[in-house]
Amino acid sequence: MGGSLLKGLTSNNELNFDISVVEPNLIKDNYNLISANKIKHYQSINDLKETDFDTVLFAVKPQVISEVCLGVLENLDQKKIFSIISILAGTKVETFESYFGLSPIIRAMPNLAVSEGSGVTALYGNNNVNKAFKETTDKIFSGVGEVIWVDNEDMMDVVTSTSGSGPAYYFFLTECLSLIAEDMGLSKENADKLSRQVAIGSSDIMKSSNDSLSSLREKVTSKGGTTEAALKVLMSPDKEFYNIFKKAIREAYKRSKDLSN
Ligand SMILES: NC(=O)c1ccc[n+]([C@@H]2O[C@H](COP(=O)([O-])OP(=O)(O)OC[C@H]3O[C@@H](n4cnc5c(N)ncnc54)[C@H](OP(=O)(O)O)[C@@H]3O)[C@@H](O)[C@H]2O)c1
């Protein structure tokens, strides 16, 4: 996820930051990115001594965040208040406040598609965040997709359960479509190709159109046609499909809340 953000940051000409990366084991893609963009690379936080930063972006697994925050405190100038951005799932702003006190802190929840530049990131900031830091953070994540702001940290659990896990829901729906087409006689190869392209094509249409989602659906639903026959089942009056989907997302939401507590 850190590598994807770096890719977005370096490909956005509007952003002109001096970037340093701390990463113990650089993978080849990130090594190439860092070399091509003259970014400083440090093997460990302990190598950061006497360096100066305005902003620190945390992109490590939540399990190691205490160790990493202590490392930052030990090695960076403690008198300086630097701005903090965290992309850690389920890690509240108060965790960072406990280490960095008065710092402006923004919590970001990106999703996997940032690696393709078509992600969506929800942002939430504490009271110390000013307009300039908000704008900078907005630009960082706009470089890898769309951005939304929420003004209540609890909403980050809604975001996690809908857009964070969201790509997996679409992969599953596409998988179902492929399996059903195969069950009905297509070869596995054709069923896979067809269902992937349906997902890609539908995304392209949503991207290029300003129509509401319901009107996009209505446009492919001719009266008495095949789509209408299928939608009568999917949109049955008992809302069976909608309710099972909602139940699944509520489970993800509960899990997100449990993890952050
Ligand atoms: N993946 C997603 O879709 C997604 C979505 C939203 C939010 N997030 C959040 O993004 C964060 C990163 O997730 P990820 O999937 O990108 O995990 P990841 O691939 O494991 O990346 C974490 C990186 O941090 C490095 N690291 C570990 N300890 C370090 C230390 N002490 N100092 C500096 N770097 C250190 C790791 O190096 P090693 O490989 O050598 O351990 C690794 O390169 C997580 O907190 C996750 O909750 C992920």
Side-chain angles (χ1 to χ4, degrees):
M1 189 53 84
S4 299
L5 285 174
L6 197 60
K7 202 166 129 194
L9 274 169
T10 50
S11 58
N12 188 337
N13 295 333
E14 248 193 89
L15 299 175
N16 197 13
F17 301 130
D18 285 333
I19 303 172
S20 296
V21 170
V22 181
E23 164 63 69
N25 299 299
L26 267 189
I27 59 165
K28 194 164 172 271
D29 284 354
N30 290 339
Y31 173 80
N32 292 341
L33 203 58
I34 283 174
S35 315
N37 291 283
K38 298 194 177 72
I39 291 170
K40 285 195 206 92
H41 169 238
Y42 299 90
Q43 205 79 32
S44 151
I45 297 173
N46 298 324
D47 302 336
L48 286 177
K49 283 200 171 42
E50 292 168 31
T51 20
D52 189 19
F53 296 97
D54 296 321
T55 305
V56 178
L57 190 153
F58 292 95
V60 295
K61 292 274 196 225
Q63 302 86 285
V64 297
I65 193 59
S66 305
E67 174 198 324
V68 172
C69 286
L70 289 173
V72 169
L73 282 176
E74 272 167 31
N75 291 291
L76 297 193
D77 179 359
Q78 291 199 35
K79 290 187 283 306
K80 178 167 175 174
I81 293 184
F82 36 79
S83 302
I84 287 171
I85 303 172
S86 157
I87 65 160
L88 276 68
T91 307
K92 289 184 178 166
V93 158
E94 67 183 31
T95 300
F96 293 92
E97 286 170 341
S98 71
Y99 291 100
F100 302 106
L102 293 172
S103 293
I105 300 166
I106 290 183
R107 185 175 158 192
M109 186 64 208
N111 74 356
L112 194 61
V114 296
S115 61
E116 303 302 313
S118 55
V120 58
T121 304
L123 298 169
Y124 166 80
N126 72 356
N127 289 335
N128 300 326
V129 171
N130 65 17
K131 193 164 169 260
F133 181 37
K134 251 184 136 172
E135 282 172 4
T136 305
T137 309
D138 203 299
K139 276 189 192 154
I140 292 174
F141 289 94
S142 300
V144 287
E146 297 289 329
V147 166
I148 63 164
W149 283 88
V150 295
D151 53 14
N152 170 355
E153 195 173 5
D154 286 346
M155 286 301 110
M156 293 307 261
D157 295 309
V158 176
V159 168
T160 304
S161 60
T162 48
S163 76
S165 307
Y169 308 151
Y170 281 86
F171 298 148
F172 179 63
L173 197 64
T174 309
E175 207 183 332
C176 288
L177 197 61
S178 176
L179 285 172
I180 293 164
E182 201 185 331
D183 270 356
M184 292 170 80
L186 282 188
S187 68
K188 187 174 169 41
E189 196 191 352
N190 278 344
D192 187 83
K193 193 170 177 180
L194 178 139
S195 51
R196 277 173 193 258
Q197 196 53 35
V198 168
I200 295 165
S202 309
S203 303
D204 286 346
I205 294 169
M206 283 193 275
K207 197 170 173 188
S208 65
S209 169
N210 289 324
D211 289 354
S212 70
L213 294 173
S214 56
S215 63
L216 286 177
R217 169 177 48 75
E218 281 156 12
K219 273 187 185 163
V220 286
T221 314
S222 338
K223 265 232 143 327
T226 54
T227 312
E228 189 188 66
L231 288 177
K232 270 187 183 155
V233 179
L234 289 174
M235 299 173 73
S236 60
D238 63 3
K239 292 181 144 189
E240 193 181 4
F241 181 79
Y242 176 85
N243 285 332
I244 199 152
F245 199 23
K246 188 170 175 185
K247 189 173 167 216
I249 289 169
R250 283 203 162 278
E251 285 302 313
Y253 173 78
K254 262 186 3 215
R255 184 74 188 130
S256 174
K257 277 219 155 320
D258 288 350
L259 289 174
S260 51
N261 289 330

